[in-house]
Amino acid sequence: MIQTRLLDIALREFGLKGPEGASTREIARAAGTAMSSITYHYGGKDGLYLAVADHIAARMAEEMGPVLDTRTSPVTGDPVVARAHIHAALSRFVDKMASDRNSDWSLFLIREQMRPTQAFDRIYGGVMGQMLDMLADLICVTAGVADRRMARIVTITLIGQVVTLRAQRATCLRLLERDEIGDDDLVLLKARIAANIDAILDRLRAEQQGLS
């Protein structure tokens, strides 16, 4: 489908060059369509950029949606189940961040992290924001945290160790002395991250019990 191809090419161009450097003429040419199709479907470069953000949000929903579908509501108050869901969500997230498959939209996202626009609002408003809210809810249950702000701070620490696999990919590969993250590296990384998750949650729970 020409629109999907157009969005995929626009995603790559915007990720590599940013909205200022990307050329809609080149995007249309690479997609095998006329410039007028961008104007017709998206109104121009700004509209195409926002459409790419929606495209990323849809892909993220497709890949991370199963994590949300298997969520147990924090209302159950079961810390063991809540912890298991935290591990499941972050394990799946590690798989996505370690893979080269999502490199195009990762570049786009890194740009939006540094200089957020309306595009970031659209991406965060999708499965990204839902997953982060879910993690904060599950942290509250797992560690007995009543302070929602504290749960959000802990969420940042948990996802930070995973995001670095993408945001600092060249550094990670150089440190591992690899050209790519192999299956054996991935097993060790996931085990270490899982241990870190437990250590953070155990410490947080002990702190909360000390406050009560």
Side-chain angles (χ1 to χ4, degrees), residues 44-89:
K45 182 187 280 190
D46 290 344
L48 179 60
Y49 190 77
L50 292 178
V52 167
D54 292 336
H55 186 50
I56 291 172
R59 284 172 58 178
M60 291 177 71
E62 181 180 327
E63 297 190 1
M64 295 302 296
V67 173
L68 296 174
D69 291 341
T70 59
R71 174 188 176 183
T72 294
S73 171
V75 176
T76 63
D78 188 334
V80 175
V81 174
R83 184 182 292 238
H85 279 294
I86 291 171
H87 278 289

Side-chain angles (χ1 to χ4, degrees), residues 64 67 86-99 158 161-162 164-165 176 181-199:
M64 295 302 296
V67 173
I86 291 171
H87 278 289
L90 289 176
S91 177
R92 189 174 182 87
F93 196 31
V94 170
D95 289 334
K96 301 308 173 188
M97 290 297 98
S99 171
L158 292 183
Q161 60 185 329
V162 182
T164 192
L165 297 174
L176 290 170
I181 296 176
D183 291 341
D184 55 338
D185 298 315
L186 190 58
V187 169
L188 293 173
L189 281 167
K190 292 176 83 167
R192 187 69 263 160
I193 289 171
N196 291 345
I197 292 169
D198 282 331

Side-chain angles (χ1 to χ4, degrees), residues 13-24 26-27 45 49 111:
E13 290 297 299
F14 284 133
L16 288 172
K17 303 172 184 176
E20 297 84 6
S23 163
T24 51
E26 285 301 309
I27 291 170
K45 182 187 280 190
Y49 190 77
R111 286 182 178 277

